[in-house]
Amino acid sequence: MGTKYQGSESEILALNAWIKMKRASNSIQNYINQSLENSGITITQFGTMEMLLHLGPLPQKTISQKMLCSPGNITLVVDNLEKAGFVQRKSNPGDRRYHLIHLTKQGQILVKRLLEKHVKNIVSAFSILSENEQRVFSDYCENLGKHCETKKKESNQ
Amino acid sequence: MGTKYQGSESEILALNAWIKMKRASNSIQNYINQSLENSGITITQFGTMEMLLHLGPLPQKTISQKMLCSPGNITLVVDNLEKAGFVQRKSNPGDRRYHLIHLTKQGQILVKRLLEKHVKNIVSAFSILSENEQRVFSDYCENLGKHCETKKKESNQ
DNA sequence: TAATAATAATTTAATATTGAACTATTGCAA
DNA sequence: TTGCAATAGTTCAATATTAAATTATTATTA
């Protein structure tokens, strides 16, 4: 069951693709997040720690861009993670406009523990697609994302 | 550029698919939402009115399910739309647990005006995929969504 | 029929998120 | 070198969102 919008075939196609993408995204997110229930940390906090684990110490700007949220939001997220002892702001003498956010040993232990179930859930979510279908799907998403970024820049000129 | 996670090929595949899906979703949403800028209404408000335009009067429960948000949120959204004169709660004698939310004439005019650009943007966003690719993409999303809903129910038993 | 369960909406408190204004620092160009 | 633009982060106010508790109504069932 897709859109009820009365339009041309190409319109119906695109509207259905978009609504199904949103619903799928939502269902996947809800399913995956079960691995964070009762962990006491939020998705954004987990995403931040996961990033630091895999990419090493980062400035908040980078975190906010990759997490797709505002810098102000990351300030709060890092504040809370720092209070809990999972990350640490360390000064960066080379450029004093920003600090580098480091994962603490305690944060590393937590995120590694949660990551195991998290990855299992993602693999399980996508297992309905064959490996080749997953590759095709990734490519489609990549193309859609790039295309929209380009079009958005164009229209903002 | 995808995940830096060190894992098996099937793990990398699924993680990349998920991260690219999230980014694409975000880029598309940002691009599409340009049609609502300066309109004074939010995405949720627009989605609600669009739904009422195409499906007719609905109870709030249905709206919240289709909009993928909480019932409490819809109470507020409908409150605000009603204050602005775009929708109206009408009593439903057959079952007095809920009202039916009707789109007013004024709401109809607004949503029809916005819908034109909105649809154009969605078509434009997905135009990077061929019609057949859009069909394939829709199917993948539908399968992913259903699969996760099923798995979630299973694990909650 | 009476009691219980289920459904729909609302309220409330807490949290998440954003955008805009502001400070500090750095890079660049006249 | 000095002034201006750009970058990074923070703060603040406003809004969005949720989860849980509550009320009202309807459905079920013993």
Side-chain angles (χ1 to χ4, degrees), chain B residues 59-61 75 89 97-98:
Chain B
Q60 294 185 189
K61 184 76 192 305
T75 294
R89 286 179 171 93
R97 284 173 299 184
Y98 58 90

PDB file of all heavy atoms in Angstrom, chain B residues 59-61 75 89 97-98, chain C residues 6-12:
ATOM      1  N   PRO B  59      -9.071   9.601  12.425  1.00  0.00           N
ATOM      2  CA  PRO B  59      -8.790   9.743  13.854  1.00  0.00           C
ATOM      3  C   PRO B  59      -7.289   9.986  14.053  1.00  0.00           C
ATOM      4  O   PRO B  59      -6.483   9.615  13.201  1.00  0.00           O
ATOM      5  CB  PRO B  59      -9.201   8.390  14.432  1.00  0.00           C
ATOM      6  CG  PRO B  59      -9.167   7.442  13.298  1.00  0.00           C
ATOM      7  CD  PRO B  59      -9.409   8.232  12.051  1.00  0.00           C
ATOM      8  N   GLN B  60      -6.939  10.552  15.199  1.00  0.00           N
ATOM      9  CA  GLN B  60      -5.541  10.901  15.444  1.00  0.00           C
ATOM     10  C   GLN B  60      -4.634   9.674  15.503  1.00  0.00           C
ATOM     11  O   GLN B  60      -3.469   9.737  15.146  1.00  0.00           O
ATOM     12  CB  GLN B  60      -5.422  11.699  16.746  1.00  0.00           C
ATOM     13  CG  GLN B  60      -6.085  13.038  16.645  1.00  0.00           C
ATOM     14  CD  GLN B  60      -5.888  13.916  17.861  1.00  0.00           C
ATOM     15  OE1 GLN B  60      -6.512  14.953  17.958  1.00  0.00           O
ATOM     16  NE2 GLN B  60      -5.036  13.511  18.781  1.00  0.00           N
ATOM     17  N   LYS B  61      -5.195   8.572  15.958  1.00  0.00           N
ATOM     18  CA  LYS B  61      -4.425   7.338  16.039  1.00  0.00           C
ATOM     19  C   LYS B  61      -3.841   6.970  14.680  1.00  0.00           C
ATOM     20  O   LYS B  61      -2.649   6.677  14.553  1.00  0.00           O
ATOM     21  CB  LYS B  61      -5.328   6.198  16.549  1.00  0.00           C
ATOM     22  CG  LYS B  61      -4.636   4.884  16.776  1.00  0.00           C
ATOM     23  CD  LYS B  61      -3.820   4.919  18.046  1.00  0.00           C
ATOM     24  CE  LYS B  61      -2.862   3.748  18.192  1.00  0.00           C
ATOM     25  NZ  LYS B  61      -3.513   2.451  18.088  1.00  0.00           N
ATOM     26  N   THR B  75      -1.471  15.049  19.071  1.00  0.00           N
ATOM     27  CA  THR B  75      -2.385  15.926  19.813  1.00  0.00           C
ATOM     28  C   THR B  75      -1.937  17.379  19.669  1.00  0.00           C
ATOM     29  O   THR B  75      -2.739  18.266  19.361  1.00  0.00           O
ATOM     30  CB  THR B  75      -2.401  15.537  21.302  1.00  0.00           C
ATOM     31  OG1 THR B  75      -2.964  14.237  21.432  1.00  0.00           O
ATOM     32  CG2 THR B  75      -3.235  16.519  22.110  1.00  0.00           C
ATOM     33  N   ARG B  89     -11.501  19.356  14.512  1.00  0.00           N
ATOM     34  CA  ARG B  89     -11.936  18.116  15.155  1.00  0.00           C
ATOM     35  C   ARG B  89     -13.463  18.088  15.109  1.00  0.00           C
ATOM     36  O   ARG B  89     -14.113  19.005  15.598  1.00  0.00           O
ATOM     37  CB  ARG B  89     -11.488  18.085  16.623  1.00  0.00           C
ATOM     38  CG  ARG B  89     -10.017  17.844  16.872  1.00  0.00           C
ATOM     39  CD  ARG B  89      -9.739  17.870  18.365  1.00  0.00           C
ATOM     40  NE  ARG B  89      -8.392  17.432  18.707  1.00  0.00           N
ATOM     41  CZ  ARG B  89      -7.349  18.231  18.861  1.00  0.00           C
ATOM     42  NH1 ARG B  89      -7.494  19.535  18.650  1.00  0.00           N
ATOM     43  NH2 ARG B  89      -6.173  17.734  19.200  1.00  0.00           N
ATOM     44  N   ARG B  97     -14.807   7.678  21.499  1.00  0.00           N
ATOM     45  CA  ARG B  97     -13.440   7.714  22.016  1.00  0.00           C
ATOM     46  C   ARG B  97     -12.558   8.627  21.178  1.00  0.00           C
ATOM     47  O   ARG B  97     -11.535   9.107  21.618  1.00  0.00           O
ATOM     48  CB  ARG B  97     -12.839   6.298  22.032  1.00  0.00           C
ATOM     49  CG  ARG B  97     -13.342   5.451  23.154  1.00  0.00           C
ATOM     50  CD  ARG B  97     -12.853   4.039  23.010  1.00  0.00           C
ATOM     51  NE  ARG B  97     -13.334   3.425  21.777  1.00  0.00           N
ATOM     52  CZ  ARG B  97     -13.114   2.164  21.433  1.00  0.00           C
ATOM     53  NH1 ARG B  97     -12.375   1.388  22.231  1.00  0.00           N
ATOM     54  NH2 ARG B  97     -13.592   1.667  20.323  1.00  0.00           N
ATOM     55  N   TYR B  98     -12.958   8.831  19.954  1.00  0.00           N
ATOM     56  CA  TYR B  98     -12.136   9.692  19.105  1.00  0.00           C
ATOM     57  C   TYR B  98     -12.979  10.644  18.283  1.00  0.00           C
ATOM     58  O   TYR B  98     -14.169  10.420  18.075  1.00  0.00           O
ATOM     59  CB  TYR B  98     -11.239   8.870  18.178  1.00  0.00           C
ATOM     60  CG  TYR B  98     -11.966   7.917  17.262  1.00  0.00           C
ATOM     61  CD1 TYR B  98     -12.376   8.342  16.003  1.00  0.00           C
ATOM     62  CD2 TYR B  98     -12.223   6.605  17.635  1.00  0.00           C
ATOM     63  CE1 TYR B  98     -13.037   7.464  15.144  1.00  0.00           C
ATOM     64  CE2 TYR B  98     -12.877   5.730  16.784  1.00  0.00           C
ATOM     65  CZ  TYR B  98     -13.282   6.164  15.551  1.00  0.00           C
ATOM     66  OH  TYR B  98     -13.934   5.310  14.710  1.00  0.00           O
TER      67      TYR B  98
ATOM     68  P    DA C   6      -6.151  -6.849  26.903  1.00  0.00           P
ATOM     69  OP1  DA C   6      -5.666  -7.941  26.039  1.00  0.00           O
ATOM     70  OP2  DA C   6      -5.239  -6.164  27.845  1.00  0.00           O
ATOM     71  O5'  DA C   6      -6.815  -5.751  25.978  1.00  0.00           O
ATOM     72  C5'  DA C   6      -7.898  -6.130  25.132  1.00  0.00           C
ATOM     73  C4'  DA C   6      -8.383  -4.912  24.380  1.00  0.00           C
ATOM     74  O4'  DA C   6      -9.083  -4.038  25.284  1.00  0.00           O
ATOM     75  C3'  DA C   6      -7.254  -4.081  23.754  1.00  0.00           C
ATOM     76  O3'  DA C   6      -7.588  -3.873  22.386  1.00  0.00           O
ATOM     77  C2'  DA C   6      -7.261  -2.777  24.555  1.00  0.00           C
ATOM     78  C1'  DA C   6      -8.702  -2.702  25.031  1.00  0.00           C
ATOM     79  N9   DA C   6      -8.909  -1.963  26.279  1.00  0.00           N
ATOM     80  C8   DA C   6      -8.266  -2.130  27.468  1.00  0.00           C
ATOM     81  N7   DA C   6      -8.696  -1.320  28.431  1.00  0.00           N
ATOM     82  C5   DA C   6      -9.674  -0.559  27.808  1.00  0.00           C
ATOM     83  C6   DA C   6     -10.510   0.468  28.265  1.00  0.00           C
ATOM     84  N6   DA C   6     -10.484   0.949  29.513  1.00  0.00           N
ATOM     85  N1   DA C   6     -11.391   0.996  27.380  1.00  0.00           N
ATOM     86  C2   DA C   6     -11.418   0.523  26.128  1.00  0.00           C
ATOM     87  N3   DA C   6     -10.679  -0.443  25.583  1.00  0.00           N
ATOM     88  C4   DA C   6      -9.826  -0.949  26.487  1.00  0.00           C
ATOM     89  P    DT C   7      -6.564  -3.117  21.439  1.00  0.00           P
ATOM     90  OP1  DT C   7      -6.663  -3.742  20.118  1.00  0.00           O
ATOM     91  OP2  DT C   7      -5.269  -2.962  22.137  1.00  0.00           O
ATOM     92  O5'  DT C   7      -7.230  -1.677  21.352  1.00  0.00           O
ATOM     93  C5'  DT C   7      -8.556  -1.554  20.867  1.00  0.00           C
ATOM     94  C4'  DT C   7      -8.993  -0.116  20.974  1.00  0.00           C
ATOM     95  O4'  DT C   7      -9.122   0.240  22.370  1.00  0.00           O
ATOM     96  C3'  DT C   7      -7.992   0.884  20.374  1.00  0.00           C
ATOM     97  O3'  DT C   7      -8.676   1.635  19.387  1.00  0.00           O
ATOM     98  C2'  DT C   7      -7.558   1.741  21.550  1.00  0.00           C
ATOM     99  C1'  DT C   7      -8.718   1.578  22.518  1.00  0.00           C
ATOM    100  N1   DT C   7      -8.416   1.776  23.955  1.00  0.00           N
ATOM    101  C2   DT C   7      -9.189   2.673  24.654  1.00  0.00           C
ATOM    102  O2   DT C   7     -10.084   3.316  24.148  1.00  0.00           O
ATOM    103  N3   DT C   7      -8.857   2.795  25.994  1.00  0.00           N
ATOM    104  C4   DT C   7      -7.879   2.108  26.665  1.00  0.00           C
ATOM    105  O4   DT C   7      -7.681   2.306  27.870  1.00  0.00           O
ATOM    106  C5   DT C   7      -7.104   1.179  25.874  1.00  0.00           C
ATOM    107  C7   DT C   7      -6.004   0.389  26.518  1.00  0.00           C
ATOM    108  C6   DT C   7      -7.417   1.054  24.565  1.00  0.00           C
ATOM    109  P    DA C   8      -7.867   2.583  18.413  1.00  0.00           P
ATOM    110  OP1  DA C   8      -8.577   2.600  17.126  1.00  0.00           O
ATOM    111  OP2  DA C   8      -6.443   2.236  18.481  1.00  0.00           O
ATOM    112  O5'  DA C   8      -8.061   3.997  19.106  1.00  0.00           O
ATOM    113  C5'  DA C   8      -9.349   4.591  19.134  1.00  0.00           C
ATOM    114  C4'  DA C   8      -9.277   5.925  19.832  1.00  0.00           C
ATOM    115  O4'  DA C   8      -9.069   5.699  21.238  1.00  0.00           O
ATOM    116  C3'  DA C   8      -8.126   6.821  19.378  1.00  0.00           C
ATOM    117  O3'  DA C   8      -8.695   8.022  18.854  1.00  0.00           O
ATOM    118  C2'  DA C   8      -7.281   7.061  20.623  1.00  0.00           C
ATOM    119  C1'  DA C   8      -8.218   6.689  21.757  1.00  0.00           C
ATOM    120  N9   DA C   8      -7.582   6.101  22.934  1.00  0.00           N
ATOM    121  C8   DA C   8      -6.693   5.063  22.966  1.00  0.00           C
ATOM    122  N7   DA C   8      -6.298   4.735  24.176  1.00  0.00           N
ATOM    123  C5   DA C   8      -6.979   5.623  24.995  1.00  0.00           C
ATOM    124  C6   DA C   8      -6.996   5.805  26.399  1.00  0.00           C
ATOM    125  N6   DA C   8      -6.287   5.057  27.245  1.00  0.00           N
ATOM    126  N1   DA C   8      -7.800   6.777  26.885  1.00  0.00           N
ATOM    127  C2   DA C   8      -8.514   7.512  26.034  1.00  0.00           C
ATOM    128  N3   DA C   8      -8.575   7.447  24.703  1.00  0.00           N
ATOM    129  C4   DA C   8      -7.780   6.466  24.246  1.00  0.00           C
ATOM    130  P    DA C   9      -7.724   9.176  18.316  1.00  0.00           P
ATOM    131  OP1  DA C   9      -8.493   9.957  17.335  1.00  0.00           O
ATOM    132  OP2  DA C   9      -6.434   8.573  17.953  1.00  0.00           O
ATOM    133  O5'  DA C   9      -7.526  10.086  19.600  1.00  0.00           O
ATOM    134  C5'  DA C   9      -8.693  10.686  20.173  1.00  0.00           C
ATOM    135  C4'  DA C   9      -8.325  11.291  21.503  1.00  0.00           C
ATOM    136  O4'  DA C   9      -7.796  10.268  22.354  1.00  0.00           O
ATOM    137  C3'  DA C   9      -7.260  12.375  21.443  1.00  0.00           C
ATOM    138  O3'  DA C   9      -7.902  13.613  21.732  1.00  0.00           O
ATOM    139  C2'  DA C   9      -6.229  11.977  22.492  1.00  0.00           C
ATOM    140  C1'  DA C   9      -6.928  10.885  23.274  1.00  0.00           C
ATOM    141  N9   DA C   9      -6.059   9.841  23.803  1.00  0.00           N
ATOM    142  C8   DA C   9      -5.353   8.905  23.109  1.00  0.00           C
ATOM    143  N7   DA C   9      -4.662   8.078  23.859  1.00  0.00           N
ATOM    144  C5   DA C   9      -4.941   8.505  25.150  1.00  0.00           C
ATOM    145  C6   DA C   9      -4.518   8.049  26.408  1.00  0.00           C
ATOM    146  N6   DA C   9      -3.694   6.999  26.566  1.00  0.00           N
ATOM    147  N1   DA C   9      -4.996   8.689  27.500  1.00  0.00           N
ATOM    148  C2   DA C   9      -5.822   9.726  27.322  1.00  0.00           C
ATOM    149  N3   DA C   9      -6.290  10.245  26.196  1.00  0.00           N
ATOM    150  C4   DA C   9      -5.803   9.583  25.133  1.00  0.00           C
ATOM    151  P    DT C  10      -7.076  14.941  21.727  1.00  0.00           P
ATOM    152  OP1  DT C  10      -8.038  16.047  21.555  1.00  0.00           O
ATOM    153  OP2  DT C  10      -5.940  14.770  20.811  1.00  0.00           O
ATOM    154  O5'  DT C  10      -6.517  15.040  23.217  1.00  0.00           O
ATOM    155  C5'  DT C  10      -7.441  15.033  24.294  1.00  0.00           C
ATOM    156  C4'  DT C  10      -6.690  14.975  25.606  1.00  0.00           C
ATOM    157  O4'  DT C  10      -5.961  13.735  25.670  1.00  0.00           O
ATOM    158  C3'  DT C  10      -5.653  16.080  25.789  1.00  0.00           C
ATOM    159  O3'  DT C  10      -6.116  16.898  26.851  1.00  0.00           O
ATOM    160  C2'  DT C  10      -4.353  15.339  26.131  1.00  0.00           C
ATOM    161  C1'  DT C  10      -4.832  13.945  26.470  1.00  0.00           C
ATOM    162  N1   DT C  10      -3.908  12.811  26.196  1.00  0.00           N
ATOM    163  C2   DT C  10      -3.362  12.130  27.255  1.00  0.00           C
ATOM    164  O2   DT C  10      -3.577  12.421  28.420  1.00  0.00           O
ATOM    165  N3   DT C  10      -2.534  11.085  26.902  1.00  0.00           N
ATOM    166  C4   DT C  10      -2.227  10.652  25.625  1.00  0.00           C
ATOM    167  O4   DT C  10      -1.487   9.703  25.439  1.00  0.00           O
ATOM    168  C5   DT C  10      -2.830  11.419  24.556  1.00  0.00           C
ATOM    169  C7   DT C  10      -2.554  11.033  23.146  1.00  0.00           C
ATOM    170  C6   DT C  10      -3.642  12.447  24.883  1.00  0.00           C
ATOM    171  P    DT C  11      -5.382  18.272  27.180  1.00  0.00           P
ATOM    172  OP1  DT C  11      -6.394  19.171  27.763  1.00  0.00           O
ATOM    173  OP2  DT C  11      -4.607  18.688  25.987  1.00  0.00           O
ATOM    174  O5'  DT C  11      -4.355  17.866  28.329  1.00  0.00           O
ATOM    175  C5'  DT C  11      -4.848  17.208  29.488  1.00  0.00           C
ATOM    176  C4'  DT C  11      -3.684  16.763  30.354  1.00  0.00           C
ATOM    177  O4'  DT C  11      -3.045  15.624  29.732  1.00  0.00           O
ATOM    178  C3'  DT C  11      -2.593  17.820  30.543  1.00  0.00           C
ATOM    179  O3'  DT C  11      -2.453  18.032  31.941  1.00  0.00           O
ATOM    180  C2'  DT C  11      -1.351  17.208  29.910  1.00  0.00           C
ATOM    181  C1'  DT C  11      -1.649  15.723  29.920  1.00  0.00           C
ATOM    182  N1   DT C  11      -1.036  14.899  28.846  1.00  0.00           N
ATOM    183  C2   DT C  11      -0.330  13.756  29.195  1.00  0.00           C
ATOM    184  O2   DT C  11      -0.159  13.409  30.346  1.00  0.00           O
ATOM    185  N3   DT C  11       0.160  13.040  28.127  1.00  0.00           N
ATOM    186  C4   DT C  11       0.030  13.338  26.789  1.00  0.00           C
ATOM    187  O4   DT C  11       0.514  12.606  25.929  1.00  0.00           O
ATOM    188  C5   DT C  11      -0.712  14.547  26.492  1.00  0.00           C
ATOM    189  C7   DT C  11      -0.904  14.955  25.070  1.00  0.00           C
ATOM    190  C6   DT C  11      -1.209  15.260  27.532  1.00  0.00           C
ATOM    191  P    DT C  12      -1.616  19.257  32.514  1.00  0.00           P
ATOM    192  OP1  DT C  12      -2.296  19.700  33.735  1.00  0.00           O
ATOM    193  OP2  DT C  12      -1.353  20.202  31.400  1.00  0.00           O
ATOM    194  O5'  DT C  12      -0.224  18.571  32.917  1.00  0.00           O
ATOM    195  C5'  DT C  12      -0.241  17.332  33.607  1.00  0.00           C
ATOM    196  C4'  DT C  12       1.155  16.738  33.613  1.00  0.00           C
ATOM    197  O4'  DT C  12       1.354  15.981  32.395  1.00  0.00           O
ATOM    198  C3'  DT C  12       2.280  17.782  33.664  1.00  0.00           C
ATOM    199  O3'  DT C  12       3.012  17.587  34.858  1.00  0.00           O
ATOM    200  C2'  DT C  12       3.123  17.507  32.411  1.00  0.00           C
ATOM    201  C1'  DT C  12       2.706  16.105  32.008  1.00  0.00           C
ATOM    202  N1   DT C  12       2.734  15.809  30.556  1.00  0.00           N
ATOM    203  C2   DT C  12       3.313  14.625  30.118  1.00  0.00           C
ATOM    204  O2   DT C  12       3.792  13.812  30.882  1.00  0.00           O
ATOM    205  N3   DT C  12       3.277  14.436  28.765  1.00  0.00           N
ATOM    206  C4   DT C  12       2.753  15.294  27.819  1.00  0.00           C
ATOM    207  O4   DT C  12       2.784  15.009  26.634  1.00  0.00           O
ATOM    208  C5   DT C  12       2.172  16.509  28.336  1.00  0.00           C
ATOM    209  C7   DT C  12       1.580  17.491  27.387  1.00  0.00           C
ATOM    210  C6   DT C  12       2.187  16.704  29.666  1.00  0.00           C
TER     211       DT C  12
END
